């Protein structure tokens, strides 16, 4: 009999200036509600961000979801405090990468790309939401994989992964240990599907339905049910070359 793999326990979320709040808050709320139900889940969370400056690589800087160049004062008033920098991040089972306007231009997120490239081999799972797939693609970890992303920005995102098969009609896509989801709210659907896989119904009966009920959330359970592909006229993009 094959031994069932234990669920992951060490989670990390990558923040950067201009990140989309719900991209990370949605999946984290799913995990928060999971820990309410499983007191012995032993989950840990590292919030990873840039250091204050190159002279202080161990001290994380505060992060705002405001667009780095023209964000609103409403967005700028929101401040998030990472717990770790790239240099102090602990070993992770799962890394969550949200999207947002801060993913463009990619010249501004080179440190985040380098971090993903460095930690990817040791991860059990990589989970991206929305344009967070751009960071993964530029790190090269989506090469040879299928993936999806935000449909409203489909034509901007997909050129960053020329060796990736981009699936348009998808709320989320699983390829090996990589989970990618469509835009913003899709991160919650993808995370619920992820939790259903690692906390399967046989071993944890009723757990996922309880999580959804307690969040008063009606999640999409069909990965191919994505009306936004049609709304934004997004088409599959096969790998090039």
């Amino acid at each position: 009999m094959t031994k069932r793999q234990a669920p992951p326990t060490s989670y990390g979320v990558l923040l950067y200036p201009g990140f989309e709040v719900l991209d990370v808050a949605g999946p984290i709320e799913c995990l928060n509600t999971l820990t309410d139900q499983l007191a012995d889940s032993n989950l840990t969370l590292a919030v990873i961000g840039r250091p204050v400056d190159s002279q202080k690589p161990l001290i994380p800087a505060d992060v705002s979801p405001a667009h780095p160049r023209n964000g609103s004062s409403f967005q700028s008033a929101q401040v998030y405090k990472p717990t770790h920098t790239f240099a102090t991040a602990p070993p992770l089972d799962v890394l969550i990468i949200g999207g947002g306007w801060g993913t463009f231009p990619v010249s501004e997120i080179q440190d985040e790309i380098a971090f993903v490239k460095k930690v990817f081999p040791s991860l059990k799972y990589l989970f991206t939401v929305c344009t967070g797939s751009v960071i993964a693609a530029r790190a090269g970890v989506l090469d040879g994989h299928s993936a999806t992303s935000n449909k409203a920005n489909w034509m901007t995102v997909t050129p960053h992964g020329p060796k990736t098969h981009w699936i348009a009609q998808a709320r989320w896509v699983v390829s090996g240990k990589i989970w990618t989801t469509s835009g913003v709210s899709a991160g919650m659907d993808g995370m619920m599907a992820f939790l259903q896989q690692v906390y399967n119904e046989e071993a944890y009966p009723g757990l996922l339905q309880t999580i959804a009920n307690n969040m008063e959330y009606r999640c999409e359970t069909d990965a191919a049910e994505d009306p936004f592909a049609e709304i934004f006229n997004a088409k599959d993009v096969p790998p090039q070359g």
Side-chain angles (χ1 to χ4, degrees), residues 68-86:
R69 288 162 295 284
N70 57 5
S72 70
S73 58
F74 183 88
Q75 295 168 340
S76 298
Q78 302 168 48
V79 178
Y80 295 79
K81 296 181 177 295
T83 58
H84 296 77
T85 67
F86 307 129

Side-chain angles (χ1 to χ4, degrees), residues 83-238:
T83 58
H84 296 77
T85 67
F86 307 129
T88 65
L92 300 171
D93 294 331
V94 183
L95 177 62
I96 300 168
I97 310 174
W101 290 117
T103 51
F104 307 108
V106 294
S107 59
E108 300 296 319
I109 52 169
Q110 291 302 303
D111 289 344
E112 286 76 15
I113 292 169
F115 175 74
V116 172
K117 184 180 295 187
K118 180 182 76 171
V119 302
F120 179 75
S122 62
L123 296 175
K124 291 182 179 178
Y125 302 99
L126 177 67
F127 188 95
T128 74
V129 182
C130 195
T131 58
S133 57
V134 170
I135 297 176
R138 298 293 291 200
V141 302
L142 297 187
D143 291 356
H145 288 277
S146 296
T148 195
S149 191
N150 182 298
K151 304 313 182 311
N153 294 284
W154 191 248
M155 297 306 294
T156 303
V157 169
T158 54
H160 291 284
K163 297 181 180 179
T164 302
H165 186 185
W166 295 97
I167 308 297
Q169 191 69 38
R171 192 72 171 155
W172 68 88
V173 168
V174 183
S175 185
K177 68 177 185 178
I178 301 171
W179 288 65
T180 55
T181 80
S182 188
V184 195
S185 63
M188 292 186 69
D189 292 338
M191 180 54 71
M192 291 294 286
F194 171 76
L195 294 178
Q196 186 171 38
Q197 175 175 299
V198 297
Y199 293 94
N200 66 78
E201 182 68 17
E202 179 183 355
Y204 300 90
L207 174 62
L208 268 295
Q209 189 59 57
T210 298
I211 292 173
N213 289 346
N214 284 3
M215 293 193 297
E216 297 192 15
Y217 180 61
R218 297 180 66 178
C219 62
E220 178 56 64
T221 59
D222 183 354
E225 185 59 38
D226 181 15
F228 301 101
E230 181 177 355
I231 290 171
F232 293 107
N233 196 31
K235 307 294 183 184
D236 284 9
V237 180

